[in-house]
Amino acid sequence: MTRMFVAVYPSAEAVEHLDAFLDIRREAGTFRWAPPEQWHLTLAFFADVPDRSFDALVDGLDAVVRKRSAQTAVIAGGGAFPHIGRAKVLWGGVEPEDPIGLEKLARGCRAAGAIVGAAPAGDRFRPHLTLARINPPIEATKWVRVLDAYRGPSWSIEEIALVESHLGEGPNRRPRHEVVATFAFS
């Protein structure tokens, strides 16, 4: 069994722009900031993908992507999970050109996993990038206001990636992410 997720990675320009915005602000919060190279929009998360299901999952994701076309998005605003008054996660919002299309893409990716025995995990789809984890939780109104002031450059969503997550194997015992397949839109 393997932990995997389906992701959209922002363009290098979008990542650099957001990283520069956060750079001078990071010291004000003693959070576990996610490294910019790991910023991604999760479309589906699978806690356990059986080894026997991998090829079928790849085929299913390929079929989902063939029904969609590329679109643009912007990283803008932000928020906190589970809520602003007791934040454990700070996130940057992702505003897609076609929100309904992106939601359908996420549902399709989740369904592709469910069909092959990789039950999707998580709540309803909310397009975001996880920027920082917070422990103990905080009241995060100030941080969300800072994020709400942000709007980055437009970037094109041209592919999705199937990513294997190796917990504790990255720097500072963070996860190590390995892209195992990519799927380009037609």
Side-chain angles (χ1 to χ4, degrees):
M1 299 274 194
T2 306
R3 293 173 65 92
M4 293 186 157
F5 58 90
V6 181
V8 170
Y9 286 94
S11 70
E13 179 189 11
V15 168
E16 288 169 12
H17 194 273
L18 178 57
D19 189 34
F21 175 82
L22 292 175
D23 190 47
I24 60 172
R25 295 164 174 86
R26 284 189 180 101
E27 290 180 19
T30 56
F31 312 144
R32 282 189 316 134
W33 292 96
E37 63 273 10
Q38 287 191 353
W39 290 343
H40 63 273
L41 165 61
T42 302
L43 298 171
F45 175 75
F46 310 110
D48 294 309
V49 177
D51 291 339
R52 63 177 162 44
S53 298
F54 177 77
D55 290 337
L57 177 58
V58 167
D59 291 344
L61 293 172
D62 187 52
V64 168
V65 167
R66 276 189 269 133
K67 298 176 186 174
R68 306 273 175 246
S69 56
Q71 66 167 296
T72 59
V74 173
I75 302 169
F81 291 135
H83 56 81
I84 201 168
R86 191 163 166 72
K88 294 181 180 181
V89 171
L90 285 179
W91 52 266
V94 176
E95 295 179 4
E97 163 191 19
D98 177 10
I100 293 170
L102 189 63
E103 188 165 332
K104 285 181 180 178
L105 175 63
R107 279 198 312 260
C109 292
R110 291 172 60 93
I115 289 168
V116 302
D123 297 327
R124 72 177 180 86
F125 178 65
R126 177 177 289 176
H128 72 279
L129 309 176
T130 297
L131 303 175
R133 298 194 181 279
I134 306 164
N135 191 13
I138 65 165
E139 200 293 320
T141 300
K142 290 178 191 173
W143 280 97
V144 171
R145 284 186 181 145
V146 166
L147 292 170
D148 279 345
Y150 178 77
R151 184 167 192 84
S154 177
W155 48 280
S156 182
I157 299 173
E158 297 178 0
E159 70 178 16
I160 65 172
L162 179 59
V163 182
E164 196 170 315
S165 181
H166 304 275
L167 296 181
E169 293 184 16
N172 299 323
R173 302 187 36 83
R174 294 176 189 264
R176 178 177 59 85
H177 296 162
E178 177 184 355
V179 174
V180 294
T182 57
F183 309 90
F185 294 103
S186 54

